[in-house]
Amino acid sequence: MMKLRALFTMLLMAPHLAAGELAPCWASRGSPFSLTAQDVPYQKGSDSQKLDIYIPTAATPPYKTVVLIHGGCFQWGGKSSKDDALYLERLTSAGYAVVSLNYRLAEPRNPDKGKRNLFPASMEDVQDAVRWLRVNGAKYDLQTNKLLAFGFSAGATLASYLGTRLIRGSKLHVDEKAQDDPQLSKTVNGVIDFFGRADFSHSRSSELHDENGRDCGEEYLGESRDTNDIKDF
């Protein structure tokens, strides 16, 4: 518990680092991490379903592992953002391996487009990424029996979902493979949530909006906002 509290404090301070304190690129000389695997597909349905694996240079395997989930109103962002770089350096400096992942982003409203990757696309993706880690993590010297999810904004919402699985009675809540084999679980063992959204029932009053002034929650949920799944969430 004390280690987790210290990690939380360290991450809380990360955004206050001056830009000059960061390495000029993510894997430069003197960096506390090395990029072990890049753009690894954890699912085959979309080019967005990929992850990167960063190993702490000063730690010994097997590595404690954090799943880093980027924010961006469910509509933008990516696993190589500057925000992620801040936390990546802090986490690897503390001896954690970091698995930074992309997920399907909700597309803007456009009547000419088909599938918009609305709810629950990103939630399905982060679950699939966790299951991929459970199965394949040992190949990269990762500890897969205890995974920690960390995110901010939309990423924090997805991280919290991985730790709670609150959608009861839906296809998202049932994890039949994990019931047969706990090593195939799509859930994580701990969560660090930085200002994630937990209540979608009052999205019209939210202060979280995209660049066009539209509510992030409504854009992500689409017509699903009034379904039982969302009400349970």
Side-chain angles (χ1 to χ4, degrees), residues 48-187:
S48 299
Q49 296 165 318
K50 295 180 178 179
L51 55 82
D52 299 337
I53 300 175
Y54 297 88
I55 299 301
T57 55
T60 56
Y63 305 104
K64 298 171 291 184
T65 303
V66 174
V67 180
L68 180 59
I69 309 174
H70 71 83
C73 210
F74 300 104
Q75 299 176 67
W76 60 80
K79 57 185 172 59
S80 299
S81 69
K82 291 182 178 179
D83 289 334
D84 281 6
L86 290 166
Y87 300 112
L88 172 63
E89 181 165 338
R90 286 289 180 146
L91 286 164
T92 52
S93 294
Y96 290 86
V98 174
V99 177
S100 184
L101 60 89
N102 281 345
Y103 50 86
R104 286 172 291 172
L105 300 174
E107 299 173 356
R109 296 177 183 177
N110 188 330
D112 297 328
K113 289 189 175 182
K115 190 174 182 180
R116 294 179 53 210
N117 296 330
L118 302 183
F119 171 90
S122 59
M123 290 185 175
E124 293 173 336
D125 286 353
V126 295
Q127 289 182 100
D128 287 341
V130 168
R131 173 161 288 170
W132 184 93
L133 281 173
R134 299 282 191 193
V135 175
N136 299 283
K139 301 175 185 177
Y140 302 91
D141 292 323
L142 305 179
Q143 288 186 12
T144 58
N145 60 323
K146 293 183 179 180
L147 295 175
L148 180 70
F150 165 59
F152 47 93
S153 191
T157 299
L158 296 173
S160 293
Y161 174 70
L162 287 174
T164 55
R165 303 293 302 279
L166 288 179
I167 302 184
R168 299 177 178 86
S170 74
K171 65 177 182 179
L172 292 178
H173 185 68
V174 178
D175 198 349
E176 295 177 353
K177 290 185 179 180
Q179 293 174 355
D180 297 331
D181 185 353
Q183 291 300 315
L184 296 179
S185 173
K186 294 182 178 182
T187 61

